[in-house]
């Protein structure tokens, strides 16, 4: 299969390459694409050097699949050009996520919504992906009424410059102003831009994307998203009000039965999910599972995942694997 990676030199794009290698995705020709200034640079895939090419060159090679992680404006402009040559696009930006005609997919949750004529497919926001992986068994077994989530998000969610900023600050230097305030020894309740309603775009992504992926606009969601000086992954404190009562042991079993979810929940042994542990892994880790005694039918839990892997690259490759499994590519 001829596969283009648009944004191949970025943090998510390079992680996509690693995931494709690890999962031995059936690629016959890899076409790395990046901005004009990166054309001609080399990237390594399966031990071989590949030259980064321009968008026009990539399209001329007629890829059957294109994985995008190049920002929303580029996706809006370029995804239709790849679609026009019959190429499937899995886009990691927010450009197409809430488009009424485009599917927003976490394969383990709603992969079944994909149809053969879905050529532009949206990869959800990283913080949404890891949350819906845990919400799915709860919604299936108890019906979810309301979700309150607070996130603790890694600087890798911002990109390579933010990682450098944190390390520079930690080494006693000054950052390059990636964030409006210092990030080391600090937390920022500010991810993406503030909207008129007082919420950030990141918070509204969690609110809106969750309902679309779960296929239920009746689920009420509210979010506070926070940037923390961490590298390995995003963490989330999630409070879920449901229609029916539950017992924690059964819920833990139901989480364990969810493909892609691993329960780590033994607080008396100091065992719970942590980003340092989740880094480099594809599973979503859930722990601190406990009843919220302040109101009926309500559960608290703690969810951690590597935001570059399941939160972005791995989920995108899993969508591509689903398309391949259907025989569409
Ligand atoms: C972030 N979820 O963490 C956003 C985009 N990756 O910055």
């Amino acid at each position: 299969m001829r596969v283009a990676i648009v944004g191949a030199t970025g943090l998510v794009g390079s992680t996509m390459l690693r995931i494709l290698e690890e999962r031995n995705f059936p690629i016959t020709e890899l076409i790395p694409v990046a901005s004009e200034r990166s054309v001609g640079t080399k990237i390594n895939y399966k031990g071989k050097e590949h030259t980064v090419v321009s968008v026009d060159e990539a399209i001329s090679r007629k890829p059957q699949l294109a994985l995008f992680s190049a920002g929303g404006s580029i996706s809006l402009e370029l995804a239709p050009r790849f679609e026009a040559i019959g190429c499937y696009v899995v886009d990691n930006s927010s450009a197409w996520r809430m488009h009424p005609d485009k599917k927003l997919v976490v394969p383990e949750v709603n992969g079944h919504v994909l149809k053969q004529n879905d050529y532009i497919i949206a990869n959800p926001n990283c913080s949404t992906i890891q949350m819906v992986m845990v919400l799915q068994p709860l919604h299936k077994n108890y019906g979810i009424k309301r979700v309150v989530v607070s996130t603790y998000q890694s600087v890798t969610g911002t990109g390579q410059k933010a990682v450098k900023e944190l390390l520079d600050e930690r080494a006693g230097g000054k950052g390059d102003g990636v964030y409006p305030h210092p990030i080391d020894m600090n937390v920022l309740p500010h991810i993406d831009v503030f909207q008129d309603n007082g919420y950030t775009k990141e918070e509204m992504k969690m609110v809106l994307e969750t309902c679309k992926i779960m296929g239920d606009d009746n689920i009420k969601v509210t979010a506070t998203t926070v940037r923390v000086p961490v590298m390995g992954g995003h963490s989330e404190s999630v409070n879920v009000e449901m229609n029916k009562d539950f017992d924690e042991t059964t819920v833990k079993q139901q989480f364990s039965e969810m493909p892609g979810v691993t329960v780590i929940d033994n607080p008396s042994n100091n065992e719970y999910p942590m980003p340092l542990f989740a880094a480099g892994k594809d599973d979503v880790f859930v722990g601190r599972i406990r009843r919220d005694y302040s109101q009926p039918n309500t559960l608290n839990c703690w969810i951690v995942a590597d935001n570059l892997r399941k939160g972005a690259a791995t989920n995108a490759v899993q969508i591509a694997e689903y398309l391949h499994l259907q025989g569409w590519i």
Side-chain angles (χ1 to χ4, degrees):
M1 191 188 315
R2 295 184 302 279
V3 177
I5 308 292
V6 181
T9 55
L11 213 42
V12 172
S14 51
T15 306
M16 285 173 171
L17 290 166
R18 298 296 72 80
I19 304 292
L20 288 164
E21 280 176 338
E22 287 172 17
R23 299 171 78 100
N24 203 23
F25 193 79
I27 296 177
T28 53
E29 180 184 353
L30 180 79
I31 309 168
V33 188
S35 60
E36 282 305 321
R37 70 172 182 276
S38 299
V39 169
T41 56
K42 306 291 186 187
I43 59 104
N44 191 290
Y45 177 74
K46 285 198 167 179
K48 284 188 189 154
E49 273 200 344
H50 294 264
T51 305
V52 174
V53 300
S54 69
V55 169
D56 291 339
E57 170 62 23
I59 289 174
S60 73
R61 295 187 189 179
K62 298 195 181 310
Q64 294 135 295
L65 170 72
L67 301 182
F68 273 53
S69 189
S73 54
I74 289 175
S75 291
L76 281 174
E77 180 198 345
L78 296 183
R81 289 186 58 193
F82 282 82
E83 179 187 27
I85 62 167
C87 175
Y88 282 92
V89 172
V90 181
D91 175 36
N92 191 51
S93 83
S94 57
W96 304 96
R97 288 177 185 160
M98 299 315 293
H99 189 290
D101 300 336
K102 302 297 182 230
K103 304 291 171 51
L104 180 65
V105 175
V106 177
E108 298 93 331
V109 176
N110 68 332
H112 60 276
V113 301
L114 284 170
K115 300 287 182 268
Q116 188 166 1
N117 63 348
D118 287 318
Y119 277 91
I120 297 176
I121 302 161
N123 206 40
N125 191 41
C126 40
S127 46
T128 307
I129 290 174
Q130 66 185 70
M131 184 170 78
V132 296
M133 286 284 287
V134 173
L135 293 183
Q136 172 64 12
L138 297 178
H139 196 46
K140 180 181 160 195
N141 292 295
Y142 308 99
I144 293 176
K145 288 170 73 173
R146 181 172 183 253
V147 179
V148 182
V149 52
S150 298
T151 73
Y152 309 76
Q153 298 183 220
S154 161
V155 295
T156 55
T158 310
Q160 285 157 336
K161 287 179 181 169
V163 171
K164 182 180 180 302
E165 177 117 332
L166 173 57
L167 296 176
D168 286 352
E169 288 179 9
R170 192 154 295 177
K174 264 179 72 56
D176 295 333
V178 171
Y179 297 117
H181 306 286
I183 183 62
D184 193 30
M185 309 292 278
N186 196 16
V187 295
L188 305 177
H190 178 184
I191 296 180
D192 209 324
V193 297
F194 281 100
Q195 313 285 284
D196 293 343
N197 67 358
Y199 286 78
T200 61
K201 263 190 173 178
E202 183 78 359
E203 287 156 354
M204 293 314 297
K205 285 174 187 177
M206 294 196 79
V207 171
L208 299 170
E209 292 178 22
T210 298
C211 290
K212 184 168 179 179
I213 296 163
M214 303 295 287
D216 186 343
D217 288 341
N218 296 316
I219 298 175
K220 296 179 176 61
V221 183
T222 191
T224 303
T225 58
V226 180
R227 187 74 66 196
V228 295
V230 158
M231 308 272 252
H234 290 349
S235 304
E236 298 173 347
S237 172
V238 181
N239 177 278
V240 190
E241 181 187 2
M242 297 175 279
N243 293 314
K244 291 191 278 188
D245 200 6
F246 61 89
D247 73 78
E248 288 93 313
T249 306
T250 305
V251 165
K252 287 184 188 179
Q253 181 55 36
Q254 290 161 339
F255 283 158
S256 301
E257 290 163 359
M258 176 69 184
V261 173
T262 296
V263 175
I264 301 179
D265 198 26
N266 187 2
S268 57
N269 228 11
N270 301 329
E271 293 171 8
Y272 30 70
M274 295 176 284
L276 211 52
F277 167 86
K281 299 182 176 77
D282 286 326
D283 264 17
V284 172
F285 301 92
V286 61
R288 300 298 322 280
I289 300 158
R290 63 204 190 281
R291 181 178 294 278
D292 172 358
Y293 291 101
S294 70
Q295 65 176 31
N297 306 336
T298 305
L299 180 84
N300 282 315
C301 62
W302 174 254
I303 303 169
V304 178
D306 183 327
N307 55 290
L308 294 178
R309 293 182 71 102
K310 182 55 185 174
T314 303
N315 197 72
V317 172
Q318 286 174 313
I319 292 171
E321 288 172 342
Y322 183 95
L323 301 176
H324 184 57
L325 195 64
Q326 306 307 313
W328 301 339
I329 48 174

